Amino acid sequence: MTIPKIKNLEFREVTEDILLVHQIKVPDQFSCCDGLLILPKEGRNSNTIVLDLNIEPKYSIEIYKKLGPISHYVCTHGHMDHMSHVYGWEALNASIHAPFSEAYYLTDLYNFYNGFGFSEMMDFHTIEKFAHINKYFSCKEVNTFEPADILKFENIEVETIPFKGHSKAHVGLYLPREKILHISCLGFDQSEPGADGFGPWYGFEECSIEQYLDDIDKAENIFLEKSKFLTSSHAYIVKNPDKTPFEYMRNKIKENQKLIGTAILNSKLSSNLEESVNLLLEQDLIFQKKKMKSFLKKIYTFWEYWIIKKHLQHTYKILEIEEEG
Ligand SMILES: [Zn+2]
């Protein structure tokens, strides 16, 4: 096949009729994510199917012009970088599918604000500003599925795999016939081999480091046992049996645990979890919040609050295990 050429988009061939697509320049940090295009293939799918490719509508229109109708779009979870531009695919008549309950974040920003607990620490206007810089617009109608459901579009199967450590509805996608595992936003974010990134993201109340470590094990097993290729939302294509993504993600969590562990040793922390989190939060361990102004500072403070809390909770769990053992 000839790979389409569109300015500001990068197309990488996973197989001869499945492409990983990346928007190069983006409006803001949480505005876009890479995803897959399943091109039409006789006896399989008559129209293009799009998996979690959140790019600006001007580019989805270009794809439409080059590749023709798009029948379905699958969103993997309700984070901003996975839902801001999905309305653009809907406008091209693709039916939109997203996991329950985060599917409702695509149809109403207020559900995103409430569902992720932003409402406990900031006003809605802060989130409206965040949505604005990422060019979010809501979808009209979204079909919901349950994480772990198998989606079938004509003769293509898309297995959805719960990876709940990242968000309660977050799913990876597995194409059994094509042997492609898309781990979505699990935390492998190396743009090229050896590059550095942020790693796994667990800056919400509903996240858990223990669940995250289980998810990484689960993804590793699916990849090594039955996949040829691994793709994700912010990284290059990995071929079996390369274990880099899993080692990278585990290592990132470990580094954060060490960073926060060292800060705990150096601080006079109280025995109260809440007070300890707030004391560590002032140290700008994860994000340089002191340099931030306006609404973004509130949002980054919220994320860092939960990242620190997750690590403190993880430490408590480890200590309990040791005491019992
Ligand atoms: Zn995410």
Side-chain angles (χ1 to χ4, degrees):
M1 62 143 307
T2 31
I3 294 178
K5 276 200 175 71
I6 298 170
K7 208 179 159 198
N8 202 30
L9 289 188
E10 195 181 304
F11 292 86
R12 297 177 190 181
E13 212 175 22
V14 187
T15 65
E16 60 171 352
D17 44 40
I18 298 182
L19 305 173
L20 180 69
V21 186
H22 169 69
Q23 181 174 330
I24 302 161
K25 272 203 265 166
V26 297
D28 207 72
Q29 202 187 345
F30 298 101
S31 184
C32 295
C33 70
D34 306 350
L36 296 169
L37 287 183
I38 305 175
L39 306 179
K41 186 179 177 181
E42 216 180 302
R44 188 182 67 183
N45 52 311
S46 44
N47 293 316
T48 299
I49 293 161
V50 184
L51 304 182
D52 211 34
L53 174 60
N54 184 41
I55 52 175
E56 287 179 85
K58 56 185 170 188
Y59 301 114
S60 42
I61 290 169
E62 288 301 314
I63 289 176
Y64 173 84
K65 281 186 196 159
K66 298 230 189 253
L67 300 175
I70 291 134
S71 52
H72 297 277
Y73 182 95
V74 182
C75 166
T76 61
H77 64 303
H79 283 169
M80 188 54 76
D81 54 337
H82 291 258
M83 62 169 198
S84 53
H85 314 298
V86 176
Y87 76 98
W89 295 103
E90 187 182 32
L92 295 169
N93 281 328
S95 39
I96 310 299
H97 307 264
F100 181 83
S101 60
E102 290 171 23
Y104 301 114
Y105 303 0
L106 283 88
T107 48
D108 189 342
L109 187 67
Y110 197 83
N111 294 332
F112 169 80
Y113 168 68
N114 235 349
F116 280 127
F118 290 111
S119 50
E120 283 164 36
M121 287 197 209
M122 63 196 83
D123 56 16
F124 184 48
H125 192 51
T126 305
I127 290 303
E128 283 181 310
K129 282 185 191 163
F130 178 61
H132 179 74
I133 59 167
N134 288 296
K135 300 190 172 182
Y136 168 95
F137 286 95
S138 57
C139 293
K140 289 189 182 75
E141 200 187 321
V142 174
N143 304 291
T144 62
F145 61 83
E146 289 291 338
D149 277 359
I150 298 173
L151 309 173
K152 203 160 182 245
F153 307 121
E154 293 181 71
N155 284 317
I156 190 146
E157 272 186 14
V158 181
E159 295 178 11
T160 70
I161 308 151
F163 290 135
K164 287 191 289 190
H166 182 66
S167 86
K168 61 181 181 293
H170 176 240
V171 294
L173 304 171
Y174 180 67
L175 306 177
R177 227 197 297 167
E178 295 73 17
K179 297 191 190 306
I180 297 171
L181 173 64
H182 184 71
I183 59 170
S184 181
C185 219
L186 195 59
F188 179 56
D189 55 0
Q190 290 189 301
S191 53
E192 53 185 30
D196 199 22
F198 186 85
W201 182 274
Y202 34 87
F204 292 100
E205 182 172 12
E206 64 191 54
C207 302
S208 138
I209 291 177
E210 296 77 42
Q211 180 66 49
Y212 229 111
L213 294 169
D214 286 351
D215 290 348
I216 295 170
D217 291 347
K218 180 160 81 172
E220 185 173 37
N221 287 335
I222 297 170
F223 180 56
L224 295 177
E225 280 169 21
K226 55 180 193 179
S227 315
K228 281 187 184 163
F229 305 99
L230 179 143
T231 57
S232 37
S233 307
H234 310 277
Y236 66 93
I237 301 166
V238 178
K239 290 188 182 124
N240 193 335
D242 188 348
K243 290 185 185 176
T244 306
F246 315 103
E247 286 161 0
Y248 170 86
M249 289 188 280
R250 289 188 191 109
N251 195 42
K252 281 283 176 187
I253 295 176
K254 217 189 232 169
E255 278 175 11
N256 282 345
Q257 185 71 21
K258 209 170 150 186
L259 179 79
I260 287 156
T262 310
I264 293 171
L265 290 175
N266 293 336
S267 310
K268 288 181 187 132
L269 293 184
S270 80
S271 55
N272 179 304
L273 176 68
E274 204 58 36
E275 279 176 29
S276 303
V277 175
N278 286 320
L279 265 169
L280 292 180
L281 200 52
E282 285 170 17
Q283 299 181 20
D284 275 8
L285 294 169
I286 311 278
F287 303 119
Q288 297 301 305
K289 305 183 297 299
K290 285 194 182 79
K291 290 180 185 163
M292 291 177 192
K293 278 183 189 143
S294 78
F295 67 98
L296 279 178
K297 188 173 181 172
K298 283 187 198 165
I299 296 174
Y300 278 90
T301 303
F302 171 86
W303 284 329
E304 185 164 337
Y305 170 89
W306 285 113
I307 291 173
I308 291 174
K309 200 162 182 175
K310 295 296 143 188
H311 277 290
L312 287 180
Q313 287 168 337
H314 187 56
T315 308
Y316 288 5
K317 277 214 177 95
I318 292 171
L319 291 175
E320 274 167 22
I321 290 164
E322 280 175 355
E323 277 163 26
E324 281 169 17

